[in-house]
Amino acid sequence: GIRGVAIRRVSPESAASKAGLQGIDEDQQTMGDIIVAIDGKQVLSQDALYRVLDLHEVGDTLRITVLRDQKTLEKSVTLQALR
């Protein structure tokens, strides 16, 4: 199976939305993006995702590798403060 962290929801105006990341679309019954790496470091669990994010600050730009529709995509995400 696929290992990584599924994106369930992307809030409008969030860093994820601005980077073009996609969450689950229940209406269309489509899976959201699955984060598999950040800056080339494999992300296999939500804990691993948080550990990587904890090493960065608001304003840092990260290279996120995601799976979408069986394709690998790279997105740049600039971290912002939570609202």
Side-chain angles (χ1 to χ4, degrees):
I2 297 171
R3 303 212 41 191
V5 178
I7 298 175
R8 295 186 63 195
R9 183 173 16 127
V10 175
S11 299
E13 302 302 316
S14 67
S17 176
K18 292 173 185 173
L21 296 174
Q22 297 179 3
I24 294 170
D25 186 334
E26 293 179 8
D27 294 332
Q28 298 293 324
Q29 297 182 346
T30 57
M31 185 70 180
D33 292 338
I34 299 172
I35 299 171
V36 294
I38 297 177
D39 288 340
K41 295 179 183 77
Q42 195 173 31
V43 174
L44 300 178
S45 68
Q46 204 166 10
D47 286 340
L49 172 67
Y50 289 131
R51 278 195 300 274
V52 171
L53 293 177
D54 282 345
L55 299 173
H56 297 279
E57 297 180 4
V58 170
D60 288 352
T61 299
L62 308 178
R63 190 177 78 248
I64 309 290
T65 306
V66 298
L67 294 178
R68 179 187 298 163
D69 299 326
Q70 301 175 352
K71 295 183 179 112
T72 301
L73 304 173
E74 295 237 342
K75 301 284 186 174
S76 289
V77 177
T78 301
L79 300 180
Q80 64 185 42
L82 294 175
R83 297 178 193 185

